[in-house]
Amino acid sequence: MNINKFIKNRRLELGLTMLDVAKACEVSEATVSRWESGDISNMKRSRIASLAKVLQISPAIIVGVQDEFEYSSSGIDFTRVPLYEDVCCGNGGFVDENIIDMIPVPSKGLNPRAEYFAQYAKGESMKDAGINDGDLLIFERTDKIDDGVIGCFCNEDNVATCKKYKELNGIVMLQPMNIEFEPIIIDPLKVNFRCLGRLKKVIKDFDWED
């Protein structure tokens, strides 16, 4: 199902009018009508959060439907990977309860024999590596990466974070790629610290017109 049919069907399931959705998303009723008619094939992701709220679903579902339609219509091969929230469980890893949705990502550059997961980038700490707030990050699962490689790590606060892994004179650091941020020094005695994966693909959060 493409994005316009999905939005319309979900709105009707909830008994909402196009005007209800328009007010919630702070757009015109005509814009909602164009979303549902397919005149607008993509929408700004800044609109997706408010649309997801009024439709009572996860924003990841709309993004997934939208991306799947775009990949299919463009003839792009894709696979589905679990999208995780940014909270780890107590042993420094992810569990099934952390999965938000299974989302489509382009297959190009991914090994069919490897296992992958996704997270959305938050903040500006990795902007000098070309990773911006809202970008979709695809990681290959692994519990060890080489020095200088960007990966996903669970820190002592049970929060998953994307940083560059650095070892210097026996000290392990998670290095931001932004001089305005300080590196995170890792205490090897903290049992919750764990490497979760290495970065394999960045899907940009394009500012699509609505």
Side-chain angles (χ1 to χ4, degrees):
M1 180 184 296
N2 59 34
I3 185 63
N4 56 299
K5 290 181 179 179
F6 176 81
I7 293 171
K8 182 176 181 179
N9 288 351
R10 182 58 180 168
R11 175 178 65 78
L12 294 176
E13 284 178 8
L14 297 174
L16 299 172
T17 66
M18 284 192 288
L19 182 58
D20 293 330
V21 175
K23 289 180 177 179
C25 295
E26 298 182 345
V27 297
S28 68
E29 189 173 357
T31 293
V32 176
S33 177
R34 291 169 65 199
W35 285 347
E36 294 189 358
S37 67
D39 289 343
I40 304 175
S41 59
N42 292 314
M43 69 181 68
K44 289 182 180 179
R45 294 197 178 186
S46 60
R47 300 292 187 199
I48 288 178
S50 54
L51 180 59
K53 184 175 181 180
V54 70
L55 295 182
Q56 301 176 29
I57 57 175
S58 165
I61 295 176
I62 299 177
V63 172
V65 172
Q66 179 167 268
D67 287 350
E68 181 173 343
F69 175 66
E70 287 302 305
Y71 299 151
S72 297
S73 62
S74 301
I76 298 174
D77 292 332
F78 64 89
T79 186
R80 290 185 176 275
V81 303
L83 173 68
Y84 285 103
E85 58 185 358
D86 62 356
V87 178
C88 305
C89 62
N91 65 358
F94 285 132
V95 293
D96 289 345
E97 286 77 7
N98 293 125
I99 296 177
I100 299 173
D101 196 16
M102 298 292 293
I103 62 171
V105 299
S107 301
K108 185 177 180 179
L110 301 183
N111 185 339
R113 294 182 295 276
E115 187 177 358
Y116 298 93
F117 66 92
Q119 281 196 300
Y120 280 108
K122 293 185 178 181
E124 301 296 330
S125 69
M126 296 297 288
K127 71 174 186 176
D128 292 341
I131 299 172
N132 298 309
D133 187 64
D135 289 348
L136 182 64
L137 310 180
I138 310 302
F139 298 94
E140 180 181 354
R141 289 185 186 274
T142 180
D143 59 4
K144 183 175 177 59
I145 63 176
D146 295 329
D147 181 63
V149 174
I150 295 175
C152 180
F153 307 90
C154 189
N155 64 28
E156 61 186 273
D157 296 320
N158 285 327
V159 175
T161 183
C162 176
K163 296 289 185 290
K164 178 184 283 189
Y165 182 80
K166 295 293 295 181
E167 293 184 13
L168 182 63
N169 299 325
I171 298 175
V172 174
M173 298 183 295
L174 301 183
Q175 180 70 50
M177 298 299 291
N178 183 338
I179 60 174
E180 297 180 3
F181 290 78
E182 296 292 329
I184 301 171
I185 309 300
I186 300 303
D187 183 345
L189 298 180
K190 295 291 186 179
V191 296
N192 284 355
F193 174 73
R194 182 177 173 189
C195 174
L196 302 175
R198 71 170 59 87
L199 183 65
K200 294 296 292 184
K201 187 187 291 284
V202 178
I203 300 176
K204 305 303 293 181
D205 181 14
F206 294 109
D207 189 20
W208 288 317
E209 293 296 331
D210 66 353

